[in-house]
Amino acid sequence: MKLYHHPLSGHAHRARLFLSLLGIEHELVVVDFARREHKQADFLKLNSFGQVPVLDDAGTIISDSNAILVYLAKKTGRTDWLPEDAAGAAAVQRWLSVAAGQIAHGPAQARLINVFKAPYRPEEVIPRSHAILALIEQELEGRGWIAADRPTIADVALYSYVARAPEGDVDLQPYPEIRAWLARTEALPGFVEFEKTPVGLRLSEAL
């Protein structure tokens, strides 16, 4: 398998993380954002949206990070990561939607302001970030994982941007359950770290 990615993209990291957690051999192809390779004709043939990640599985092309997670779980028959039963699958899907919605428009956008100078408004995205983090904190009380009694692709989908929320000036100190969940995720066999950027609250940690 070949994964087109960028090391600072949380969407790309969640796909890379799951490939590693599954122990699937794969080639990483870095898409150069500075040269706008993601908007060039060759890449747009892979993903007309011009976004990473894109998975090439011997000619089967899958774009969208959450779609890649579903594809990999189904391809490998890993029902532990993506349940087959109706209630279990729905519980996972609920959090895939959160990853694509509230996480993307909260912690991810807050981070984009500092990492890529994106034109979002901190006074809007930082409160949105804390609103969804407070809900996740509540959901994690008394449980180890977000959608089941074991890690699932829901946890993988949420991890990257939550872990790097401080890069967007979103403090994780008020959320002990989230911080413990991040540590559990990072202890999983095959875990690969999401590259850190010394911006936002991370800047003071790096000094």
Side-chain angles (χ1 to χ4, degrees), residues 7 25 38 45 70 79 91 101 104 115 139 150 157 162 181 191 194 199:
E25 291 188 10
H38 56 307
K45 291 177 183 177
V70 171
T79 57
V115 177
E139 290 284 336
R150 61 186 183 279
V162 172
W181 164 76
F191 174 82
F194 183 18
V199 295

Side-chain angles (χ1 to χ4, degrees), residues 52-81:
V52 295
V54 174
L55 182 71
D56 182 350
D57 180 14
T60 298
I61 306 300
I62 309 295
S63 57
D64 181 84
S65 59
N66 287 344
I68 290 171
L69 300 184
V70 171
Y71 176 83
L72 291 172
K74 290 288 189 179
K75 171 88 175 184
T76 56
R78 294 296 299 268
T79 57
D80 50 340
W81 287 99

